[in-house]
Amino acid sequence: MILKYFVLCILLSHVNCEDTLEKRILLSDPAYVQQQITHLQSELQVLQATVHTQTSEISSLKQQLSQPNNGGGGSTFVRWGRTDCPAYLTELVYSGYAGGSWYSHAGAAANPLCLPPDPEWLNTTIVPDGYTGQLYGAEYESVSGHTVFGSNSHNEEVPCAVCRPKSFASTVMIPARTTCYSGWTKAYGGSLASGYYAQTAASEYICMDEDDEPVVGGADRDDNGVLFYGVKAFCGSLKCPPYEQDKFIACVVCMK
C-alpha cells in the first residue's frame, strides 16, 4: 500500500513525497501514535492547570473587591457628573442631581450637594419670603464656548452619584493629578471645577468626572443656580514651575 502511494506521489510530481511518505509511515506505527497522544495529553493537562489557576485568581480578586471593609473606617465620595459608580471597586449608595446655592447670592452655602431623586419632606409650616437658605440645581458652564467638560455640556444640568468603596477605608481627592500615588487605587479622574472667581457666592473645589454627562431629561436651558467652571492655574503665590500659567487643573479621586 505504501509502495503504491509512493509511485502515485512521484507520478503527480509532488516535491515533498519523501516527507509525506515518512509521516504516513510514522502514523502507521502504533508506538509513534501513542507517543504523540501521550505528549498531547501532557500539554492539555498543563493548559488545564493554568486555566484553573487563573480562574481561581480572578475569582479570589472579585470576592475580595465585593466584600465590604470590616476593618473599621469606611468612607463615601461623590462622583460628580455621573450617575454610576466605578465597577467592582465601589457600590452605589444613590444617584441624583447636583445642587446648591445661587451663584451670585452673598449668603450662599459654599458646598454643592448631591440631591437624591426621591425627596422626603418635613412636616413643617411653609413660611413664604422668610429668612431661609435656598436650594437650586447645578449646570456646567463655559466661557466663550470653551469648556473642559464634555462637548455640548454648556448649560446642561449636572448629575451625581454617591459611592461607597467595597474594600477601602479611605478616599481622597487629589488636585493637579491624573494618577494616584503609590499604594492608592484610582476611583475616577477628571477636571477640577469650582464657581467663577468674580461671582459673589463662595464655592468649593470638586472633581468633575472626565466622562461627565448631562442629567437625562434635563431642561437643556440656561436656568443657572450652582455653576461649575474649569479651574486654571495663576502663577505668583502659586509656584511656577511646577505649575504653568493658564493651564487647566486635573484631579483624581483615590482610595486606600
Side-chain angles (χ1 to χ4, degrees):
M1 182 67 181
I2 295 176
L3 180 58
K4 290 182 179 179
Y5 170 80
F6 185 68
V7 173
L8 180 60
C9 185
I10 294 175
L11 291 174
L12 294 177
S13 300
H14 282 247
V15 294
N16 294 322
C17 284
E18 292 183 2
D19 292 341
T20 306
L21 179 60
E22 181 180 356
K23 292 179 181 178
R24 287 179 60 87
I25 292 174
L26 290 173
L27 290 175
S28 66
D29 182 357
Y32 174 79
V33 172
Q34 184 59 46
Q35 180 185 2
Q36 293 301 308
I37 292 175
T38 302
H39 177 70
L40 291 174
Q41 288 176 335
S42 177
E43 289 187 342
L44 179 60
Q45 289 177 352
V46 173
L47 290 174
Q48 288 175 333
T50 302
V51 171
H52 178 73
T53 300
Q54 292 178 346
T55 302
S56 298
E57 290 176 352
I58 292 172
S59 177
S60 176
L61 179 60
K62 285 184 176 180
Q63 183 178 4
Q64 179 183 355
L65 293 176
S66 65
Q67 290 177 348
N69 173 55
N70 295 319
S75 64
T76 59
F77 64 88
V78 178
R79 189 182 190 187
W80 299 102
R82 297 285 299 184
T83 59
D84 57 342
C85 294
Y88 297 116
L89 300 175
T90 63
E91 62 183 7
L92 178 69
V93 180
Y94 69 89
S95 61
Y97 326 112
S101 294
W102 191 264
Y103 70 96
S104 62
H105 285 174
N111 60 307
L113 300 173
C114 186
L115 303 171
D118 50 352
E120 298 175 342
W121 302 101
L122 297 171
N123 185 21
T124 56
T125 302
I126 298 175
V127 182
D129 301 324
Y131 288 89
T132 66
Q134 296 180 337
L135 184 63
Y136 300 87
E139 294 180 350
Y140 301 105
E141 290 296 314
S142 64
V143 178
S144 300
H146 299 285
T147 178
V148 294
F149 309 129
S151 59
N152 301 320
S153 62
H154 181 56
N155 291 332
E156 293 279 4
E157 288 86 357
V158 181
C160 56
V162 176
C163 307
R164 180 183 182 275
K166 294 181 179 180
S167 304
F168 304 93
S170 303
T171 59
V172 61
M173 189 273 280
I174 306 177
R177 292 280 298 183
T178 60
T179 60
C180 298
Y181 289 108
S182 177
W184 290 78
T185 299
K186 182 177 179 178
Y188 79 93
S191 303
L192 197 67
S194 73
Y196 178 52
Y197 74 91
Q199 291 169 347
T200 306
S203 64
E204 284 193 350
Y205 293 113
I206 66 164
C207 189
M208 190 68 70
D209 196 279
E210 59 191 344
D211 295 319
D212 55 79
E213 57 189 5
V215 170
V216 176
D220 191 21
R221 64 191 184 204
D222 190 10
D223 287 329
N224 291 323
V226 186
L227 305 182
F228 289 118
Y229 294 82
V231 177
K232 292 196 298 185
F234 281 82
C235 296
S237 55
L238 179 64
K239 186 174 176 57
C240 299
Y243 289 88
E244 298 181 34
Q245 181 71 25
D246 291 330
K247 287 288 187 72
F248 280 101
I249 307 297
C251 58
V252 64
V253 174
C254 303
M255 306 178 294
K256 185 175 183 179

